[in-house]
């Protein structure tokens, strides 16, 4: 079994199509919708965690490509700008997954992309715009 976190961007004419249910039914994937931003008649964006067998995952990605849905790994969309970060720790208590964490000895803040679920909670609390989510 594989697990992948991806960001889907699909055009307005596909927003009301059963894209996700097809991933589940035809490619035997477990789909966890981590975040959704879908507006009628506009482009839709979803952050998904997919779990399934490698063959199903590859077939599912092929299906998405064929119908014109763009997708990319989630990690590419969440950025921590280390140069901007002052290690003020304002984001630490708000991050639900400890993707942003602090070393209590050095008080240095670090960002672990694989833990980030792109919830955006850190964006408004960071006074230095060190966190950026590109959707
Ligand atoms: S987007 Fe959410 S999970 Fe990711 S670092 Fe920010 S608060 Fe943590
Ligand atoms: S709130 Fe911003 S500047 Fe402060 S530790 Fe977090 S990412 Fe760094």
């Amino acid at each position: 079994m594989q697990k992948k976190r991806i960001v889907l961007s699909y055009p307005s004419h596909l927003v009301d199509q059963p894209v996700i249910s097809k991933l589940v039914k035809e490619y035997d994937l477990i789909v966890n919708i981590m975040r959704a931003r879908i507006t009628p008649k506009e482009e839709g964006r979803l952050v998904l965690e997919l779990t399934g067998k490698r063959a199903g995952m590859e077939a599912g990605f092929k299906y998405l490509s064929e119908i014109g849905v763009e997708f990319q790994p989630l990690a590419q969309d969440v950025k921590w700008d280390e140069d901007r970060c002052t290690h003020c720790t304002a984001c630490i208590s708000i991050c639900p997954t400890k993707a942003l964490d602090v070393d209590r000895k050095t008080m240095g803040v670090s960002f672990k992309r694989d833990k980030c679920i792109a919830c955006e909670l850190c964006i408004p609390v960071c006074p230095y715009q060190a966190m950026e989510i590109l959707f």
Side-chain angles (χ1 to χ4, degrees):
M1 294 285 262
Q2 290 188 331
K3 193 170 274 197
K4 288 188 191 291
R5 289 177 174 178
I6 60 169
V7 181
L8 294 191
S9 305
Y10 46 95
S12 55
H13 69 275
L14 289 175
V15 163
D16 56 356
Q17 298 297 307
V19 175
I20 301 304
S21 65
K22 197 155 178 181
L23 289 177
V24 175
K25 286 182 187 162
E26 298 205 7
Y27 304 105
D28 205 18
L29 298 175
I30 299 166
V31 180
N32 177 21
I33 299 176
M34 297 160 69
R35 205 164 153 271
R37 187 181 293 171
I38 296 178
T39 318
K41 298 193 168 72
E42 290 181 17
E43 188 186 72
R45 286 196 173 91
L46 292 175
V47 179
L48 304 178
E49 184 177 74
L50 301 176
T51 307
K53 292 183 180 158
R54 185 175 174 169
M57 199 81 80
E58 287 174 359
F61 289 153
K62 187 165 178 276
Y63 158 68
L64 292 174
S65 295
E66 284 171 357
I67 62 170
V69 174
E70 293 178 13
F71 55 93
Q72 59 188 309
L74 173 63
Q76 288 181 9
D77 284 297
V78 182
K79 290 192 175 164
W80 174 54
D81 188 332
E82 202 167 350
D83 293 335
R84 280 179 177 248
C85 179
T86 62
H87 303 263
C88 71
T89 73
C91 57
I92 301 303
S93 61
I94 202 121
C95 178
T97 62
K98 292 199 178 298
L100 284 161
D101 205 0
V102 63
D103 181 326
R104 295 289 168 191
K105 285 185 187 157
T106 64
M107 292 309 287
V109 169
S110 61
F111 173 57
K112 294 187 179 63
R113 284 184 175 175
D114 58 331
K115 289 188 174 181
C116 178
I117 57 169
C119 67
E120 293 192 24
L121 291 175
C122 56
I123 305 295
V125 303
C126 178
Y128 303 99
Q129 289 83 50
M131 293 306 294
E132 190 179 7
I133 300 198
L134 307 171
F135 283 112

